[in-house]
Amino acid sequence: MQGHCESCRSKKLRCDRGQPSCMACVAAGVPCVMRSSCPPRGPKKGHLKEIRNQILALETRLNEQQELGASDQRPRSRRRTNSSNSEEDGNNERSQVTQTSPIPATALTPVSIELPPWSAPMSNFLAPTATMEPVGEDNSQAMISAGLERVPVALHLTAIMCSDLDQLYFDRVHNFAPMLQRFRYLLWSKQPNKSRGKICLQYAMWTLAAALSSQFQFLRGELYTEARQSLDALEMENPDMCIERVQAWLLLSLYEFMSDLYQRGLVSVGRAFRLVQLMRLHEIDKLPITGGQGDLIDIESIRRTFWMAYTIDRFTSAQDNLSLAINEKQIRTRLPAPHSQFMSGRPATMCFLSEVIAGIDSEQPNNTTTDLTMCPFTQSIIVATMCGRALGLKQRFVSQQAYQDVITEFYLRHRNLNTFLTARIKILSMQISSTSEHPDALLLFSTLAAYMIVFMLYETIETIPMGTEESHTLLLGHEQRSLDAVHELDVLTSMLTQVNHFQMHPFTPIPLLLSVRYCLSHVGSNDAYSNLVISITRALESLSFVNSLAQNSLRALGMNVPNFRVGM
């Protein structure tokens, strides 16, 4: 029977003995070498006796030095009592040395974490200051885990704190930002000589993890400052691009969106968009990919990074009616593999986005069986695509509605998008109903966003000058569809209470805000609109304790919202 492979044996890991390669070697990208026989463990014969002899010799030498030190101490103390003037001079010299000492003051006194001036005052959520224990020479080496250097912002993390932040990230952030393969990350995160890009990414991960926890709220501001300064310094000193920089900017932008720094978040994510374009992440699969299993894991991580940027682009553009940054027609990157296969280190080859959304551009039927097996992240990508299409349709029609050929094309595109959206909502509803007791937060967000798109399409229809039979028929059909969407959204909004707020998608307030705006403009037509406004308002109030987007949404609706401290 085979034992551990050489790599797992050297790292003291549990080997799953997989063939032809175990999981640890696949994730690490190293050859897996198995041996039928292994050398015996434990010390060699006589080794323990040799160690005991060395200990006795060291104890003997230590006792001799203590006796010599005690005999030298008595005459030295007599000399001190007879030279008070020289002692005062020595004290003056020591005070001068203390003033010019290179040891930072934060290493001798407790650290006070001050809130930056640009943060909104949210005193009901976080304490205004937090203190940390003094750091001495004895425990300075244990302050930061696994190869991270001491940071200049007086942020001291123990190894157990870093481990907890890693766990929080994969428990709460990874669900809506599934860019990293956990086992691969844990391998490189413990390396002593990480690249600066990886260090920036690690701080960005910890920043978002701290923001979505209760026990590390006092660290979020310092972690954010360190991550931001490290990224800025990296861009100034090293122009070389790496995927960790893109991932770090995406995570930081999510933190800024959640932390009352929305405009800064738009600028940060804009940097990520440019890096995505410069690194050509939108055409990873333009040519056939060859390589080992470890290379395939890295490529899948890069794919997911691109799609994360893509979804952020679509939903933030819908929020502010902005132009899209990533051109859908140029995408030559396959959709992400199922989550279980990615995390197990065996990613699958998926289809392209254009193959899934072919129904938007034509009357082609969709493969419902395949769609039902898609992971929630892929479903969010498809919903984001429909959101971008609806936004583009609205923007183009508003600017060119005077031309008759534009109106004809609008009707065609609107009908195809509406048909595809209806089919997609059915699929999402089936997936949601199968997990109604423990709803998936990302799937719930995607379904909310899908109904938001129903309202976006209806609002666009309402801007069409009436007078044609086709426009009148289209308007009546959307009135009924919007009412159906209102009833379904009321149910989905109540399901939000079943999800941990720390695990919700940061953009959950966006479909809620756009939906309630639509309902407010139609309150007089049906009581269902008024009821949904009340339900969504309560949901936003509940989210406002952990997400500044919810606070801003309530303010946008003209409501007085207490300034809870969800910022830095």
Side-chain angles (χ1 to χ4, degrees), residues 339-356:
H339 177 74
S340 58
Q341 291 182 272
F342 174 56
M343 296 307 286
S344 65
R346 293 178 173 85
T349 301
M350 302 298 291
C351 60
F352 290 95
L353 175 66
S354 57
E355 299 172 4
V356 177

Side-chain angles (χ1 to χ4, degrees), residues 277 282 306 310 313-314 324-331:
Q277 293 166 344
H282 59 282
F306 166 76
Y310 177 85
D313 177 33
R314 263 53 187 173
L324 301 176
I326 299 176
N327 189 346
E328 177 196 323
K329 295 181 179 180
Q330 295 180 342
I331 296 176

Side-chain angles (χ1 to χ4, degrees), residues 241-258:
M241 293 175 289
C242 62
I243 192 62
E244 289 82 10
R245 281 174 61 180
V246 184
Q247 294 166 340
W249 277 120
L250 290 174
L251 294 178
L252 272 192
S253 69
L254 290 176
Y255 173 81
E256 290 164 345
F257 288 136
M258 295 176 59

Side-chain angles (χ1 to χ4, degrees), residues 89-130:
D89 295 338
N91 289 335
N92 293 333
E93 291 176 1
R94 284 192 294 272
S95 65
Q96 293 176 1
V97 171
T98 302
Q99 293 174 0
T100 60
S101 173
I103 301 176
T106 55
L108 304 175
T109 59
V111 178
S112 177
I113 302 177
E114 299 291 342
L115 296 173
W118 58 77
S119 177
M122 300 172 186
S123 56
N124 293 339
F125 189 60
L126 285 179
T129 58

Side-chain angles (χ1 to χ4, degrees), residues 121 130-131 189 219 240 332 431 451 470 494 503 526:
T131 59
S189 66
L219 279 177
D240 295 337
R332 299 294 183 273
Q431 291 183 320
Y451 284 111
E470 187 174 6
S494 63
Q503 294 178 322
N526 195 293

